[in-house]
Amino acid sequence: MAAAAIFSSLRRRRSPSLQAFLAPVDLTDVALVQTLLSISSELVSCFSDRCFFFQRRNSRSLIRKMEVFLVLLEYLRDSGTCIESTALLCFKELYLLLYRCKILLDYCGQSSKLWLLLQNHSISGHFHDLNQEISTLLDVFPADDIELSEDVREQIDLMQRQARNAKLHIDKNDELLRLRLFSFLDEFEHGRVPNHVDLRSFFVEGLGIKDAKTCRAEIEFLEEQIVNHEGDAEPTASVLNGFVAIMRYSRFLLFGFEEDEAELGIGSHKKRRKGLITQEIAETFLSIPKDFCCPITLDLMRDPVIISTGQTYDRRSIARWMEEGHRTCPKTGQMLVHDRLVPNRALRNLIVQWCTAHGIPYDPPETTDVSAESFASALPSRAAVEANRATAELLIQQLANGSPRAKTVAAREIRLLAKTGKENRAFIAKAGAIPHLRNLLSTHNPVAQENSVTAMLNLSIYDKNKSRIMDEEGCLGSIVKVLRFGLTTEARENAAATLFSLSAVHEYKKKIADESGAVEALATLLRLGTPRGKKDAVTALFNLSTHTDNCVRMIEAGAVTALVGALGNEGVAEEAAGALALIVRQPIGAAAVGEEEMAVTGLVGMMRCGTPRGKENAVAALLELCRSGGASATERVLKAPALVGLLQALLFTGTKRARRKAASLARVFQRCENAALHFGGLGVGYAFAGNSAANRDSSFTPDVSVPMSISVPVL
């Protein structure tokens, strides 16, 4: 608690709150002196011989004062001097002061060198604050009322004069180093790469950073500060990102790419990843606020726009809807007065803030008129972009010509560099990383393969890179091979996620499905994978199922069987039902689903126990099965136990879409010969939500509800 308060105060350049410490209240004067003696003795023994790289003079001065307090306390203990009430209050204040000194010195000893350099003024100010408080304490300390030896009194008087006359001290050499560090940032800001000799002089000679391991520790410490950054703290998160980029570039420029095997091991890699988990999407998809999702695709909106009815949609989805000839609002059914699309900037800013808070990359489309105010917090500084660009060039050179170990390191760093920011993803791909990553996919090194496929996944998030990956000869086939035969579970899962990302482009869905073994491997992952692997597989299969030409391929590859089996898995049931609802739109798909013994049972089970969206998809799949599957399929659905009650419940308690589908399904049954026997009691319910379902819409998107939280996880 105390440490947290001090660290917060150090960041904010304000005095620590005394509420973070509790002074002893029930100790006698003897016990209090003994407690203070123990604390000051520990403090002096811990720090008296420690050499601080920065704040040397300030820390040495503070430690000397603690040594004087130690002399005073030892004398009081040995002499048995009685302590008056005023002195007792001063000693209680000293108790708080000693702990604050300890925390400040610990902070200086444990923080990274770059961070201490950036906080040079702030930390110097806190040393000065402690000096002033020591001066105040000594001013009110009743030294004349306590019998002290002459030498102890002289030391106390000398410390009092020194504390009273102390000025704020900022080390000139430290300040020169800090200014040099900012000069490197300024050079990158203006598009210039700093001189190799200057960087070596600064980091190796100036900071004493002499190996890649120390560089990595510095980077990780700064990244932690970015994660915990407070809005009013200096330097800003954007500036800190710039320094992280400079440190990363200097690491590879100065110390190369060779690392110990222990640093490249899978276990070691995953341990490091945990430290950055708050910057990445967790292994399961996040639940996105409903208002941030497009009502058509249910994906996170990248460019929300308002149409004439007042409803908000993602620009790409509503534009496609209008291009298909629709002149009504997909959500309300109202006629559109005009086809103008008005940007919903307020909602877009909220989405940006939510994405930033959860570590989700948000790449605004290039065509959007984005104001600096809207995305200032989300966009990196130019210095960070330029430093990352220079780093990417070094990494790609190693991917092309480096040793096997250097290639493994380069793939890992490209993976990390591509996890945030469309600028990074754009120039990494443009610089030629994709062909080299493709070559590394076939390696027998599990760490290299895992990092290369994950780097490919992160690069694919940027739309323009999707075409680069798909156009690269043999790249799709290599990704599918990793999906089928990957050397680690994470590699196979990330290959599935890459296919999901690529399949967001409609024209690629057919190409992916036709790739030998792709759909089969996704179906296998859906059946046998980890929870995250199942999620990756089912979302990829859903995307592929939206292309009507893929229906036969998915049936032949066993995807239908896998999707039916997934209906019983709560984590992927909604997406599986949505994919089945699309597949059964075609007669051949309906026939394949109808042959699955557990298909109808699984869908009815979802209507009973599923989530609201799961129920929507389940009833939609049953409806399409009846429409496309003929009399035999309709009869199988009709005979499902408890279906009457479930339809009744959906008609009155389901979502709007679920009510519409339930009403349509009831009308299908009503036309059957046994409708009077089985559905006579539902007549009043048919009109409840059925007036908008008279004409079947040929577009799949309004009929299937799938909670796609985000297009792809970044790893």
Side-chain angles (χ1 to χ4, degrees), residues 82 98 208 230 280 527 625 677 701:
C82 181
L98 288 175
E230 299 173 358
E280 303 175 355
R527 289 195 304 270
L625 183 59
L677 176 63
T701 45

Side-chain angles (χ1 to χ4, degrees), residues 377-390:
S377 62
L379 293 178
S381 66
R382 184 182 176 189
V385 172
E386 294 301 324
N388 285 333
R389 189 192 305 276

Side-chain angles (χ1 to χ4, degrees), residues 392-409:
E393 292 175 357
L394 293 177
L395 296 173
I396 293 169
Q397 288 175 10
Q398 292 299 314
L399 279 180
N401 305 312
S403 67
R405 186 179 296 181
K407 289 181 179 180
T408 302
V409 174

Side-chain angles (χ1 to χ4, degrees), residues 278-289:
T278 51
Q279 293 179 273
E280 303 175 355
I281 299 178
E283 292 200 351
T284 54
F285 290 169
L286 294 172
S287 177
I288 286 184

